[in-house]
Amino acid sequence: MRTRRNFIQKMGLSALGLYTFQGLNASSFSLLKQKAADGPVLRVALMGLGGYATRVAESMQQSGRAKITGLISGTPEKLKTWGAKYNVPEKSRYNYENFDAIRNNPDIDAVYVITPNALHHNQVIRSARAGKHVICEKPMGLNAKEGREMVEACKKAGKKLLVGYRMHFEPLTLEIHRMRTAGELGNIKFFQGLSGFRLGDPTQWRVNKALAGGGALMDIGIYALNGCRYMVGEEPVWVTAQETKTDPVKFKEGVDETITFQLGFPSGVTASCLSSYNMNNLDRFFLNGDKGFAELQPASSYGPIKGRTHKGPLDISSDRPQQAVQMDEMAAIILDDKKPVIPVDGEEGVRDLVLIDAIYKAVKTGGMIKLG
Ligand code: NAD
């Protein structure tokens, strides 16, 4: 019989917290509170102490296997307050000019790059050259060329490169992945991914082409794009795309407000996706097979993620933040060479960047882009 423990292990989620499962008998699914994962600790320097880094840092307090031991920021005041809050000594605090010196810091195993997109390429390469593993936020770089160079640099340095794809460790996402892999949805026919939010402050780096590299697609549409690959379980062979812009003042040339894109997969599956900086409540995945369906809504928020399939609601929940689970799992990938169910390595990041390049090209040409 499938037990909770087996199920969690199968998902590679030994770190997950509170679960309820529909389908298990009543005695076996009383709520279980699991502790954070045990094992060697990954000592992490956080680079870029902004909005998302704040969430990561707070969540890491619930990680059993990842600890903040370094800080990199351009703001001395932040280094001071974060240093005091997370007990990071002055000798492990750096700025963007001098952080190559982490090479000589034995208390740091990895750098987690959480800066605007355009900075990732240089910062990841410098971190690898300084002899550290790297976790880089999505999108990994601005284009596939940058991504490949980042993968190459980490390979050359003998260091691992992971991308902050937190949904790859999210329990409902993994349950749908399991159901699809087990054939419970039959032959997959179609995927729909809707990812967006209404962007506020028009002065932020997200609408600055030089720092963001693009618009909604780089930032939020990447969830639908990345999601279609692991939900369908194939790599696309063609893509088409169309752009709509209603606010050219806020979303200047090269910064996409809304893009619809369609992809075709080798088996004949098609995907239809929407990426937008101009719609709220836009966070839904739908996977259709000839034996059933699976749906997530919200699909990629910070949680709780909600879902259902043709069998009924997915009654799974965790009391631990996604980023705590992600960091436990990433520590295991880096330190124990654990293989995640859905990859989060640099090559995975490059696959998304190849598709992002193709989508922007399809928008420009209005044609279908065939993929190698
Ligand atoms: P943010 O604006 O809140 O923080 C960015 C940080 O980078 C700030 O501390 C800022 O001071 C610093 N920075 C360094 N150099 C800078 C420069 N030249 N210009 C502007 N800022 C500079 O942004 P964020 O929301 O934390 O996003 C950072 C990265 O994290 C992005 O790549 C984004 O896509 C990613 N992100 C991922 C998730 C996720 O769920 N995985 C969520 C949000 C953001």
Side-chain angles (χ1 to χ4, degrees):
M1 194 181 78
R2 200 170 62 144
T3 63
R4 179 195 312 279
R5 179 173 292 258
N6 286 341
F7 183 84
I8 293 168
Q9 282 171 348
K10 201 165 177 184
M11 295 198 303
L13 285 173
S14 55
L16 281 177
L18 184 67
Y19 275 88
T20 61
F21 289 111
Q22 217 175 45
L24 297 181
N25 69 43
S27 61
S28 67
F29 78 101
S30 59
L31 300 183
L32 176 71
K33 200 153 181 157
Q34 287 197 305
K35 282 202 234 112
D38 282 335
V41 169
L42 183 74
R43 297 162 309 163
V44 180
L46 295 181
M47 180 185 293
L49 309 181
Y52 192 58
T54 301
R55 183 177 287 273
V56 169
E58 279 164 15
S59 302
M60 276 177 74
Q61 306 316 303
Q62 295 186 54
S63 163
R65 295 209 51 186
K67 184 172 183 271
I68 303 171
T69 58
L71 297 168
I72 303 158
S73 168
T75 314
E77 194 50 36
K78 276 193 198 170
L79 285 173
K80 216 166 145 188
T81 52
W82 283 55
K85 182 169 181 186
Y86 295 111
N87 208 15
V88 176
E90 245 174 88
K91 69 175 178 58
S92 297
R93 302 177 198 165
Y94 302 87
N95 59 41
Y96 295 110
E97 284 72 46
N98 69 14
F99 79 81
D100 308 84
I102 53 168
R103 171 192 317 280
N104 306 316
N105 192 328
D107 301 330
I108 295 170
D109 304 311
V111 176
Y112 193 163
V113 176
I114 319 183
T115 54
N117 309 340
L119 308 179
H120 295 176
H121 176 258
N122 174 271
Q123 291 167 343
V124 165
I125 291 175
R126 282 171 65 190
S127 302
R129 285 184 183 156
K132 305 299 174 184
H133 301 290
V134 196
I135 303 169
C136 177
E137 258 317 315
K138 42 57 55 179
M140 187 174 113
L142 298 188
N143 49 53
K145 179 177 177 290
E146 276 200 6
R148 289 190 188 104
E149 288 168 0
M150 293 157 84
V151 167
E152 198 45 48
C154 292
K155 214 175 264 173
K156 202 167 160 198
K159 294 291 150 189
K160 287 191 176 144
L161 170 58
L162 309 183
V163 185
Y165 288 130
R166 64 189 155 78
M167 305 320 296
H168 293 206
F169 307 104
E170 194 283 318
L172 279 79
T173 303
L174 287 168
E175 171 60 359
I176 293 175
H177 185 277
R178 185 202 65 73
M179 287 177 73
R180 192 260 300 153
T181 310
E184 291 174 29
L185 304 177
N187 294 317
I188 299 302
K189 299 291 184 189
F190 178 73
F191 172 82
Q192 184 192 45
L194 311 176
S195 300
F197 64 94
R198 227 179 127 78
L199 188 104
D201 176 12
T203 63
Q204 62 184 292
W205 66 262
R206 282 183 167 76
V207 282
N208 175 343
K209 160 95 171 147
L211 284 171
L217 179 63
M218 304 289 286
D219 191 42
I220 189 75
I222 192 170
Y223 285 96
L225 180 65
N226 179 249
C228 79
R229 296 178 39 247
Y230 61 71
M231 283 289 176
V232 170
E234 298 177 35
E235 293 300 325
V237 288
W238 59 258
V239 60
T240 56
Q242 310 79 35
E243 182 176 4
T244 319
K245 195 171 287 203
T246 63
D247 188 347
V249 176
K250 192 176 197 176
F251 305 106
K252 304 213 162 48
E253 181 64 29
V255 179
D256 47 290
E257 174 189 313
T258 299
I259 291 181
T260 45
F261 54 96
Q262 305 79 37
L263 308 110
F265 296 82
S267 66
V269 179
T270 54
S272 174
C273 300
L274 172 58
S275 155
S276 182
Y277 266 157
N278 195 22
M279 287 175 227
N280 278 335
N281 307 307
L282 194 69
D283 185 10
R284 181 173 187 266
F285 285 4
F286 176 72
L287 185 66
N288 191 275
D290 58 13
K291 283 195 198 155
F293 72 89
E295 180 182 63
L296 291 175
Q297 186 173 17
S300 49
S301 72
Y302 298 136
I305 302 301
K306 294 210 163 73
R308 68 185 180 115
T309 72
H310 57 288
K311 294 178 180 171
L314 281 172
D315 192 9
I316 304 171
S317 62
S318 166
D319 70 345
R320 300 188 60 225
Q322 290 170 1
Q323 292 80 4
V325 178
Q326 172 199 325
M327 293 309 289
D328 277 348
E329 291 298 314
M330 288 191 164
I333 292 167
I334 290 173
L335 299 177
D336 313 340
D337 215 14
K338 182 173 177 178
K339 302 282 173 254
V341 175
I342 309 173
V344 286
D345 53 27
E347 282 84 359
E348 176 76 3
V350 170
R351 282 182 202 109
D352 285 337
L353 291 173
V354 166
L355 292 174
I356 286 175
D357 287 352
I359 290 169
Y360 283 136
K361 191 170 169 193
V363 163
K364 268 206 181 108
T365 61
M368 174 189 277
I369 308 294
K370 294 246 163 79
L371 302 156

